[in-house]
Amino acid sequence: GQVILKPNQITCNVVIGACGKSAVWHNASALLMRMPNLFLERDTISYSTAITACEKGVRWQYALALLATMRQLLLAPDTISCNAAMSACEK
């Protein structure tokens, strides 16, 4: 029979990270934005991973926008998300 796999928060975070390592930040951000449609909660790890992908893609504006969105959603930015956003601004 056919196996049907359902994504979960962890698998989405891993894919977001893989997109960042492959320098396809736009796919990382698209998945982050799609997570609620999949009934998956975006957490600090999700945003931090997407911000890191933006840093690697030299998209500082988007990294800062994601950081601001975290605060609007009452998600506390962690050291990783703040450092990645600062690093994106340096490039």
Side-chain angles (χ1 to χ4, degrees):
Q2 187 176 15
V3 177
I4 298 175
L5 300 175
K6 289 188 175 186
N8 62 34
Q9 185 184 52
I10 294 169
T11 57
C12 284
N13 290 345
V14 169
V15 171
I16 291 169
C19 289
K21 288 179 183 172
S22 301
V24 285
W25 69 273
H26 53 282
N27 287 346
S29 63
L31 179 55
L32 179 71
M33 294 303 121
R34 184 154 159 58
M35 284 177 71
N37 297 348
L38 299 169
F39 304 102
L40 299 173
E41 182 180 348
R42 297 175 290 189
D43 61 3
T44 300
I45 295 170
S46 307
Y47 276 93
S48 295
T49 307
I51 291 169
T52 300
C54 291
E55 174 217 349
K56 293 184 188 317
V58 194
R59 299 291 183 207
W60 64 269
Q61 300 97 330
Y62 200 75
L64 292 180
L66 289 177
L67 198 62
T69 301
M70 285 181 74
R71 297 180 67 86
Q72 291 170 354
L73 296 174
L74 304 178
L75 289 172
D78 61 3
T79 303
I80 294 169
S81 54
C82 291
N83 286 343
M86 286 189 295
S87 180
C89 291
E90 291 176 349
K91 296 182 179 185

